[in-house]
Amino acid sequence: MSTEERLIESARALLWERGYTGTSPKAIQQRAGAGQGSMYHHFSGKPDLALAAIRRTAEEMRAEAEEQFSAPGTAVDRIGAYLRRERDVLRGCPIGRLTQDPDVMADPVLRAPVDETLAWLRGRLAEVLEEGCERGELVGAPDPRAVAATIVATLQGGYVLARAADSVQPFEQAVAGLLDFLAARVPTDHE
């Protein structure tokens, strides 16, 4: 792995663990095994490196979600696979956690990939739900965009509840509730 890659991966890990304010350039350099000169050779400073790290995290999150969204199966199957995929629940969502970081939210450049990723997720979920409605896999469902926003909000809230309880149980309950909600919209003659 190149020095630039080590710096980005170190920044990603530290942002998830400590947030932006708690992540110093020195901590990134130490974790990456890189000197100050190397960091400033590749990045203009902490904000530039953090932006690269946030973008990388966002790209990875989108790619992982898209695997489930574009897989074969019904809309409920695909959304269910996304909801049940393996996650490090007690660490929280690496993108969602950044919304709680005042320095990231105060900087439009750093906030942009966070907002864009959550908007993409809501939009992509809405598309899957719309496909399900068009194919007759879901009936009586409210607006797909509203349901998509509910799914994202419930997942993010599930992370918060799980971290507060130091237990994955609240997250798993939130996912089960979403799956029950979707299952109630599957026609009984459609299996």
Side-chain angles (χ1 to χ4, degrees):
M1 189 182 297
S2 71
T3 301
E4 181 179 15
E5 285 297 309
R6 288 195 323 270
L7 287 164
I8 291 171
E9 290 304 313
S10 295
R12 286 179 66 196
L14 289 167
L15 285 170
W16 196 5
E17 291 169 13
R18 302 178 183 180
Y20 184 81
T21 303
T23 299
S24 68
K26 184 173 183 160
I28 295 168
Q29 294 161 20
Q30 287 176 339
R31 190 173 197 138
Q36 183 175 1
S38 293
M39 180 175 151
Y40 290 101
H41 170 75
H42 295 288
F43 303 97
S44 61
K46 178 182 167 181
D48 187 37
L49 176 52
L51 180 61
I54 293 168
R55 284 184 177 152
R56 174 81 52 86
T57 299
E59 290 166 8
E60 186 178 282
M61 183 176 153
R62 287 182 188 199
E64 289 172 358
E66 188 57 39
E67 282 184 38
Q68 282 90 37
F69 297 152
S70 61
T74 68
V76 173
D77 291 340
R78 292 180 285 153
I79 292 171
Y82 167 73
L83 293 172
R84 289 186 304 267
R85 81 168 193 228
E86 189 172 329
R87 291 175 163 85
D88 194 349
V89 173
L90 294 180
R91 285 184 73 195
C93 172
I95 292 294
R97 284 190 65 185
L98 292 172
T99 65
Q100 299 168 31
D101 193 312
D103 290 329
V104 172
M105 292 297 99
D107 184 331
V109 174
L110 293 177
R111 185 180 64 243
V114 173
D115 180 44
E116 291 163 6
T117 299
L118 294 172
W120 174 87
L121 184 57
R122 290 188 313 272
R124 193 64 184 96
L125 280 162
E127 289 172 6
V128 173
L129 290 162
E130 287 168 3
E131 290 170 19
C133 291
E134 290 169 5
R135 292 191 280 191
E137 299 166 359
L138 297 167
V139 295
D143 173 23
R145 297 215 176 275
V147 174
T150 300
I151 291 170
V152 174
T154 302
L155 280 179
Q156 292 302 317
Y159 283 120
V160 170
L161 295 174
R163 287 174 55 82
D166 196 26
S167 168
V168 299
Q169 185 179 14
F171 183 90
E172 291 170 351
Q173 287 174 326
V175 167
L178 287 172
L179 293 172
D180 286 347
F181 171 81
L182 292 173
R185 274 117 190 104
V186 175
T188 54
D189 64 335
H190 191 279
E191 298 293 320

